[in-house]
Amino acid sequence: MSVFAKAKASRSKSLKSVLGGIAMVGVGALVLAGCTPTENPDGPSGPTEQLTLKIGTLLPQTGSLSFLGPPEEAGVALAAKEINEANLGITVEITYGDSGDPDNKAYATAVPTLLSAGVSAIIGAAASGVSKLVIDQITGAGVIQISPANTSPDFTTWDDDGLYWRTAPSDLLQGEVLGNLVAEEGASSLGMIVINDAYGTGLEKVTAETFENAGGTVVATEYFNDGDTNFSAQISTVLAQDPDAIALITFDQAYTILPALKDQGYDMSKVYLVDGNTKQFGADLPAGTVEGATGMAPGPSLADDFQDRLNDAWQTELDGAEPLSDFLYAAESYDAVMLLALAALAAGSTDGADIAAKLQEVSGGGDDPGEKATDFASAAQIILDGGKVDYDGYSGGIKFDDAGDPTDATIGIFKYGADNMHTRTN
């Protein structure tokens, strides 16, 4: 059984395992909780009693992005554990659900179950393509959707009643970084192999525009659909144009495409990966397959102690069989829970609309930023003392804008070695 399969099985066979006061329940279980918001003519402000915030997750336990599931769920579990241990007016209860992908459609079962459980917010999906399929259903129910990994620019202008948020930056940033990086490293021509969904086409568009504005030429762009397993036609078409560089905008299809490029004799130091496939491949690919390739992903460098705490949450709270090998979007997932809890505390309510009305404030966005805090206990105390907080998390300063997008973000650059493992270079 794989590491993730074991964790998933553990969650499904038990209605609850207590983690520092948090009820960890399978996606089919109903968690009951209640709170009483403060009576205030100017709107909710501060809790009158202990709040219980129910959060669901719609993260990939299966499908083409399943490698993101463990770090994302570990981030959620760690944040909930630390919030509950702080014991500062709010308790968080997590209900875990599987987003799957557009091919296996696990979300179609998970979303109704989470909504029936009465969650105030759902963290996910990871894939922009999945979020586009569920955003209207979630926000239409008055529930907040906050994604730790959606990057499609389309969500910035989505009609979501102010209930959709994300802690990952739009591909407008990642695409600019990728296009400029390829040009700066000497390529004058670029080929791209792209998944044909909201994530892939959005990132491809910005990357191409940026690269061409820098003086380069995109000589080939080949698309494939999620669920495809043979990419020989796309690879042949791109290689026929003899591009100076190749960008792979894919998910786990990279496991097939990368060895094929290597076998065709392409210089792997000219291959560029993105957040959907920048992972620690290790022994899953033949030694040296990805050596020299460049990857990128949103988020600052994570401190060792944070990675240790994530690993502890993954193995202890979620029964992960082995330590995490990837930490992609763990910080964004952790911060999503922290921001939801702080916003609920500031609102004195666990109603989705009330929480949403405070999310920008607690992130330090808007014209009146509050007092800086970098951990839940300090941030919560500022709110309880009647002040405004500006929470800066492990994913960065965040600072939500009016559309629910973070305005403070970092893109990390990674280089692969002979062991198919990457190290951060910036």
Side-chain angles (χ1 to χ4, degrees):
M1 180 180 291
S2 69
V3 176
F4 197 69
K6 179 175 180 180
K8 181 184 176 187
S10 174
R11 288 197 298 279
S12 64
K13 72 183 180 183
S14 173
L15 273 183
K16 66 179 180 179
S17 64
V18 177
L19 97 96
I22 171 173
M24 311 291 288
V25 301
V27 72
L30 177 64
V31 183
L32 298 177
C35 68
T36 303
T38 300
E39 293 297 330
N40 187 327
D42 298 320
S45 178
T48 57
E49 61 182 67
Q50 183 82 9
L51 299 172
T52 301
L53 175 63
K54 295 183 290 182
I55 297 173
T57 69
L58 189 68
L59 298 170
Q61 299 173 356
T62 60
S64 57
L65 273 183
S66 59
F67 77 94
L68 291 181
E72 289 174 338
E73 289 195 334
V76 170
L78 177 61
K81 178 177 183 291
E82 293 180 354
I83 291 167
N84 294 335
E85 288 177 345
N87 192 26
L88 287 170
I90 188 166
T91 298
V92 176
E93 296 178 345
I94 308 294
T95 304
Y96 290 91
D98 179 18
S99 66
D101 59 27
D103 188 45
N104 70 19
K105 298 179 174 59
Y107 60 84
T109 300
V111 171
T113 304
L114 292 172
L115 295 178
S116 295
V119 299
S120 300
I122 291 176
I123 296 177
S128 294
V130 172
S131 282
K132 283 193 171 186
L133 296 170
V134 300
I135 183 173
D136 292 339
Q137 182 180 9
I138 294 171
T139 60
V143 172
I144 294 170
Q145 181 179 355
I146 181 166
S147 173
N150 284 169
T151 56
S152 171
D154 294 346
F155 294 114
T156 299
T157 57
W158 202 279
D159 184 9
D160 53 46
D161 291 326
L163 292 173
Y164 176 87
W165 303 73
R166 53 181 163 182
T167 49
S170 162
D171 279 328
L172 293 176
L173 175 61
Q174 185 178 187
E176 289 177 2
V177 172
L178 176 56
N180 283 322
L181 179 64
V182 174
E184 289 168 3
E185 295 191 342
S188 59
S189 59
L190 174 66
M192 290 192 279
I193 299 176
V194 180
I195 185 168
N196 189 20
D197 70 357
Y199 164 74
T201 57
L203 181 51
E204 174 269 323
K205 179 181 178 182
V206 180
T207 300
E209 290 176 351
T210 303
F211 183 68
E212 291 175 344
N213 287 337
T217 301
V218 177
V219 295
T221 302
E222 289 295 304
Y223 298 96
F224 65 88
N225 295 315
D226 195 22
D228 290 352
T229 57
N230 188 319
F231 312 99
S232 58
Q234 291 90 342
I235 293 169
S236 295
T237 300
V238 169
L239 289 179
Q241 299 302 312
D242 193 26
D244 295 334
I246 295 176
L248 302 182
I249 303 177
T250 76
F251 297 136
D252 65 0
Q253 298 86 1
Y255 279 103
T256 302
I257 298 172
L258 287 166
L261 288 174
K262 178 75 170 179
D263 290 344
Q264 291 286 332
Y266 193 77
D267 182 354
M268 300 304 287
S269 70
K270 304 300 183 182
V271 172
Y272 293 81
L273 305 178
V274 292
D275 61 313
N277 52 28
T278 294
K279 64 163 297 177
Q280 303 288 20
F281 294 102
D284 292 340
L285 292 177
T289 297
V290 202
E291 184 175 6
T294 299
M296 64 178 53
S301 182
L302 299 181
D304 289 343
D305 74 300
F306 183 58
Q307 292 189 26
D308 291 342
R309 283 153 49 211
L310 286 167
N311 259 315
D312 181 68
W314 170 242
Q315 293 186 279
T316 304
E317 316 302 346
L318 294 175
D319 297 328
E322 298 176 5
L324 296 168
S325 59
D326 282 287
F327 294 90
L328 194 59
Y329 293 119
E332 288 80 1
S333 301
Y334 175 94
D335 287 342
V337 178
M338 289 292 181
L339 288 162
L340 288 168
L342 291 171
L345 200 61
S349 169
T350 57
D351 175 77
D354 290 344
I355 296 171
K358 290 290 186 177
L359 274 171
Q360 185 180 37
E361 175 186 304
V362 299
S363 75
D367 298 328
D368 184 22
E371 183 180 347
K372 290 279 188 184
T374 57
D375 65 274
F376 179 78
S378 300
Q381 196 60 58
I382 291 169
I383 294 170
L384 294 174
D385 289 342
K388 287 186 177 181
V389 70
D390 173 3
Y391 172 76
D392 284 0
Y394 284 100
S395 65
I398 304 167
K399 299 187 187 310
F400 288 128
D401 63 16
D402 292 341
D405 288 344
T407 59
D408 188 343
T410 301
I411 301 293
I413 308 298
F414 304 83
K415 186 66 71 173
Y416 281 89
D419 58 355
N420 300 322
M421 303 290 281
H422 62 63
T423 56
R424 190 171 183 132
T425 61
N426 69 331

